[in-house]
Amino acid sequence: MKPYDVTALGEILIDFTYAGVNADGKKIYEENPDGAPANCVSAAVKLGAKGAFIGMTGYDSFGEDVRKTLSELGVETKAMCYTREQHTTLAFVSLDEKGERSFSFCRNPGADTQLMTADLDDDLLHDSRILHVGSLSLTDEPAKSATFAAIRMVKAAGGLVSYDPNYRKALWGARNDASAEMKSLLPFANIIKVSEEELPMLLGEGITAEKGAMQLLAGGANLVCITLGAKGVRYAAKAVDGTVFSGVVPAPEVIVVDTTGAGDSFTGGLLYRMTRRESPLSFTKTELESDLVFANAVASLCVTKRGGIPALPLLSDVEAFMKEKGL
């Protein structure tokens, strides 16, 4: 068995999340560590997995804050790097009445994009059962090349790749290659998690979640999860014996405060459950749907609190929530 269940690579940043107004009517923002890959591995580790993070921050107080946050959770941070050339990436997050987010980024290009292939910890990647990456590492070099290099290292060592092709329009700007770049990682992914809203970026307008899941599975993945927000997740999977099956697993109803980290916590919960097996991809339909019920519960708890990493639940929280909901 490899020492690390999940290693995540990619962006790590600080969210300034809207938290009301002061006596003078000025907006108040609270500082929360964030970044999709960092959220994912943090979720898995907080549940009980062994995890590590590879990324880059600025040589500033924000970089220290995110590094400290991960370390205190139990995430291995020895492969995190500093740069004096760029500041740690920042994002200002506004929430509407339903807890849905809008972002304003300070990333031009941002420290997270400066990770180089030479910065990668070869031993840590070799010792990782699953490498989780997202598409925001592909917006700029040298992080793009480092991401592909890490994937090659993990694959060569017999590990698996989990991929979240998440999209932030503000980070791609006027470029028209976002869709092509997001697609470029698909052939390497064993596990794909994509939101229903972002699915057209991969497969074109008008694609349904059902058809999209099967199409992505046919492209070579072993498991495809298309998150449907409050409706749960549509999945398609290929068992080790070649059997293909699919379905929808509904999510429990909760009062939503902040959707930040919902998809990342889902993925972290799923990878945690999958790595409880000696072979993560050796699952039956019943076992996989049990994993997805658990992952939905993790995400449902996450959205009841503000912030990404600070809102992630403990295993005991998830188990109590599932018992309460009869899951």
Side-chain angles (χ1 to χ4, degrees), residues 18-316:
Y18 176 71
V21 296
N22 64 14
D24 297 324
K26 302 294 185 182
K27 293 181 179 178
I28 300 172
Y29 292 88
E30 62 183 19
E31 177 186 336
N32 287 308
D34 196 18
N39 287 343
C40 176
V41 71
S42 295
V45 167
K46 200 166 181 181
L47 292 166
K50 295 179 180 179
F53 182 76
I54 300 172
M56 182 167 281
T57 68
Y59 212 89
D60 49 42
S61 63
F62 297 126
E64 289 300 323
D65 287 348
V66 295
R67 193 179 302 256
K68 180 181 178 182
T69 296
L70 293 188
S71 293
E72 289 178 346
L73 286 176
V75 177
E76 176 58 70
T77 60
K78 67 179 181 180
M80 290 184 68
C81 305
Y82 291 103
T83 177
R84 294 184 182 274
E85 302 301 316
Q86 295 289 338
H87 292 292
T88 301
T89 300
L90 307 178
F92 289 83
V93 186
S94 297
L95 304 173
D96 64 18
E97 63 278 2
K98 295 181 180 180
E100 293 296 336
R101 305 154 295 162
S102 58
F103 295 88
S104 296
F105 289 96
C106 297
R107 186 187 192 235
N108 190 31
D112 64 286
T113 69
Q114 301 306 294
L115 184 74
M116 301 174 63
T117 299
D119 296 322
L120 298 176
D121 187 322
D122 296 11
D123 291 337
L124 188 149
L125 289 165
H126 183 275
D127 288 341
S128 301
R129 299 179 70 191
I130 298 177
L131 174 67
H132 177 74
V133 297
S135 58
L136 296 185
S137 299
L138 308 180
T139 61
D140 296 272
E141 290 286 8
K144 175 182 172 180
S145 293
T147 302
F148 279 100
I151 288 171
R152 289 193 294 269
M153 291 179 195
V154 168
K155 288 278 193 177
L160 305 174
V161 173
S162 165
Y163 177 41
D164 179 4
N166 54 327
Y167 176 68
R168 294 287 179 266
K169 183 177 181 180
L171 298 182
W172 291 94
R175 293 167 55 179
N176 59 8
D177 60 342
S179 179
E181 293 290 356
M182 290 168 67
K183 292 177 184 178
S184 67
L185 276 180
L186 292 176
F188 303 94
N190 303 99
I191 303 161
I192 299 170
K193 193 286 302 181
V194 60
S195 72
E196 187 176 29
E197 294 78 18
E198 290 161 333
L199 188 60
M201 295 290 296
L202 302 178
L203 301 177
E205 295 295 334
I207 189 76
T208 65
E210 182 176 9
K211 290 183 178 180
M214 295 302 293
Q215 190 170 329
L216 290 172
L217 192 73
N222 302 86
L223 173 61
V224 177
C225 295
I226 300 177
T227 50
L228 310 173
K231 296 179 182 178
V233 59
R234 157 70 66 175
Y235 76 90
K238 185 183 299 181
V240 289
D241 64 359
T243 303
V244 173
F245 52 91
S246 62
V248 174
V249 177
E253 187 174 336
V254 294
I255 297 174
V256 177
V257 173
D258 180 3
T259 57
T260 301
D264 308 324
S265 60
F266 170 89
T267 306
L270 176 62
L271 297 183
Y272 162 76
R273 282 290 293 254
M274 294 182 75
T275 53
R276 298 313 89 191
R277 292 187 286 272
E278 183 175 349
S279 177
L281 297 178
S282 295
F283 48 71
T284 64
K285 188 175 193 294
T286 299
E287 289 170 337
L288 178 59
E289 290 195 346
S290 178
D291 293 344
L292 295 172
V293 168
F294 180 89
N296 277 342
V298 174
S300 295
L301 280 173
C302 178
V303 302
T304 63
K305 297 180 181 179
R306 281 206 304 267
I309 292 174
L312 299 172
L314 295 166
L315 179 60
S316 58

